[in-house]
Amino acid sequence: YVYVNERISFWEVIYKKSNLLDFRSINSYAIDSEEPNIYLFGSISRMEPPIIQRYNYQNQDIEAISNLPPPNYTGKPIKLFNSPNGKEIVVDQGTELSFYDAITLEYKYNIEPGGISYIDDIEYLGDDLWAITDSDNVFTFKRDNANLFLIDKAPHFIEHQATFNYNIYVLEGNRLMVGHENEPNSIVYTLDGNGKFLSQKNVSIHASWSYDGSKIVYNPAENYLLDFSQNRLYSAETFQYMESFETPYFPSGVSKDGLNIYGTNNDPDWEITPESLHKKEAIIFNRNTSSFQKIETLGYPHILFESYNGEVFSISSGLKKERLSQNINDKADIFIEKVNTH
């Protein structure tokens, strides 16, 4: 329309860049390590429930949209698993798990694990074995389609923390680690091939957590744990400190080979103002050379990740914002861009 007053006249045109996603905010995501797909869980409108999208970042195409929104929003991140039941997106509903076909994003069914009051985290261990933790114990289950059968359970922390923030990390050698933001140490469990607990020990790893989820990432290629909150690496064998890095100040991803760390220097706690120091810039730190590369981006990078074929992409926003879950004036400004590393 045309707006006219005594001083100003201009045309206001509703315009949307072709690569902008429909989301006003993104609560969580899951990256496919085998295909150019990312699964995004968020809201396209304040008036509608959150949805899941399967997005091909190579072709910039939406390939599927969930046909049924998860009945409850718990704030837990969606997860992508590949098991004998195929690739599935799993949404933690607190007392039960919602399963979606990862290709079509059609809702399949809910599974309610027996003996668990509230699900804090779930991970797939392989051979149709699954690990689930609540605020008191960690459990292993064997899955048979829409059923989970209890195999074993073991207690974790003596101090009873509030629900949420208990996280499971699957390590090599039939091991898993359970940690909590409020606990200074984590617990590593060793299992046999059938999912039975054999032993457990405390390790000096603090399982940092933030609004975006766990700040601990396991890299199997180099067998280390990376703490995004402190920029420190720990051996996943001895759990001793290995090394640290200064920049990127706020890492968000790591290469499959474990040699490159991706992130930005934009502080999520900065006040959003026209004068704030946010930059449209990605940073890649190389562990071999102890050097970093700054790369100009189209938007403000939030999450950087390596694609299935080794390229680097960023979930970026056109507007300055604290995090992807922030909805600014109900405007769509989020997109996925390739980071030019050459």
Side-chain angles (χ1 to χ4, degrees):
Y1 63 88
V2 179
Y3 173 83
V4 180
N5 68 12
E6 293 180 355
R7 295 186 176 183
I8 305 170
S9 75
F10 62 87
W11 287 91
E12 181 179 296
V13 180
I14 298 176
Y15 171 72
K16 178 182 175 182
K17 292 175 65 177
S18 60
N19 63 338
L20 281 182
L21 302 171
D22 292 330
F23 290 100
R24 271 53 177 173
S25 62
I26 292 177
N27 300 319
S28 65
Y29 61 92
I31 299 165
D32 194 324
S33 63
E34 302 171 333
E35 301 178 80
N37 295 114
I38 185 169
Y39 296 84
L40 303 166
F41 178 48
S43 300
I44 61 173
S45 168
R46 286 177 175 157
M47 306 302 294
E48 299 180 36
I51 62 169
I52 308 169
Q53 280 190 5
R54 171 186 164 101
Y55 182 75
N56 186 314
Y57 51 78
Q58 203 166 59
N59 301 331
Q60 297 184 355
D61 289 332
I62 299 171
E63 296 185 338
I65 300 175
S66 54
N67 65 332
L68 184 70
N72 301 306
Y73 174 57
T74 62
K76 307 286 186 65
I78 61 172
K79 296 198 173 186
L80 172 66
F81 298 119
N82 192 0
S83 73
N85 286 82
K87 286 185 179 181
E88 296 170 308
I89 291 292
V90 178
V91 185
D92 184 346
Q93 297 291 287
T95 58
E96 55 188 2
L97 301 163
S98 296
F99 285 76
Y100 290 78
D101 183 293
I103 307 303
T104 64
L105 285 183
E106 290 186 2
Y107 168 78
K108 296 174 67 174
Y109 39 68
N110 277 10
I111 301 180
E112 184 175 350
I116 297 180
S117 58
Y118 190 88
I119 302 167
D120 277 286
D121 199 10
I122 178 171
E123 284 292 343
Y124 179 59
L125 305 178
D127 195 28
D128 236 355
L129 290 171
W130 301 72
I132 297 176
T133 185
D134 65 8
S135 57
D136 296 302
N137 301 285
V138 56
F139 305 79
T140 53
F141 291 87
K142 187 78 171 182
R143 182 180 172 191
D144 180 20
N145 297 313
N147 300 289
L148 286 173
F149 297 98
L150 179 66
I151 300 297
D152 203 0
K153 74 174 184 178
H156 48 65
F157 303 101
I158 296 174
E159 187 75 21
H160 184 84
Q161 305 291 351
T163 56
F164 214 65
N165 298 358
Y166 288 94
N167 289 288
I168 301 173
Y169 308 89
V170 181
L171 311 177
E172 67 173 18
N174 285 348
R175 298 175 303 153
L176 60 86
M177 186 177 81
V178 175
H180 190 280
E181 165 70 15
N182 294 341
E183 293 285 349
N185 299 317
S186 296
I187 303 174
V188 173
Y189 301 84
T190 302
L191 294 81
D192 67 14
N194 298 314
K196 289 278 189 179
F197 290 99
L198 298 176
S199 64
Q200 67 182 71
K201 65 176 181 179
N202 289 346
V203 296
S204 300
I205 302 292
H206 174 227
S208 304
W209 187 92
S210 76
Y211 293 104
D212 302 319
S214 173
K215 287 297 183 181
I216 299 289
V217 172
Y218 173 63
N219 182 267
E222 291 281 292
N223 198 28
Y224 66 68
L225 293 157
L226 170 57
D227 185 345
F228 283 160
S229 68
Q230 295 185 343
N231 290 12
R232 293 166 67 92
L233 283 72
Y234 299 86
S235 166
E237 190 61 40
T238 65
F239 302 97
Q240 298 299 309
Y241 166 79
M242 289 172 51
E243 61 192 79
S244 65
F245 58 94
E246 183 180 33
T247 190
Y249 301 150
F250 302 95
S252 58
V254 60
S255 61
K256 294 177 185 177
D257 62 13
L259 299 181
N260 291 316
I261 297 170
Y262 312 123
T264 176
N265 284 351
N266 294 334
D267 190 336
D269 292 331
W270 279 344
E271 183 180 0
I272 306 299
T273 66
E275 297 78 24
S276 63
L277 300 178
H278 295 83
K279 290 185 178 181
K280 297 179 178 180
E281 182 180 80
I283 299 176
I284 301 176
F285 174 77
N286 184 282
R287 293 178 54 227
N288 276 347
T289 62
S290 296
S291 61
F292 61 88
Q293 179 184 11
K294 293 185 176 181
I295 303 166
E296 185 177 353
T297 53
L298 295 175
Y300 297 99
H302 290 265
I303 302 295
L304 286 103
F305 63 93
E306 186 176 87
S307 70
Y308 74 107
N309 62 354
E311 296 178 315
V312 181
F313 284 81
S314 170
I315 309 177
S316 301
S317 63
L319 301 173
K320 293 180 181 180
K321 56 174 55 178
E322 296 171 1
R323 49 186 53 89
L324 292 172
S325 58
Q326 184 181 16
N327 182 333
I328 299 179
N329 298 326
D330 213 27
K331 300 293 184 182
D333 74 313
I334 300 172
F335 59 99
I336 297 178
E337 60 175 305
K338 182 180 176 180
V339 178
N340 185 11
T341 58
H342 302 291

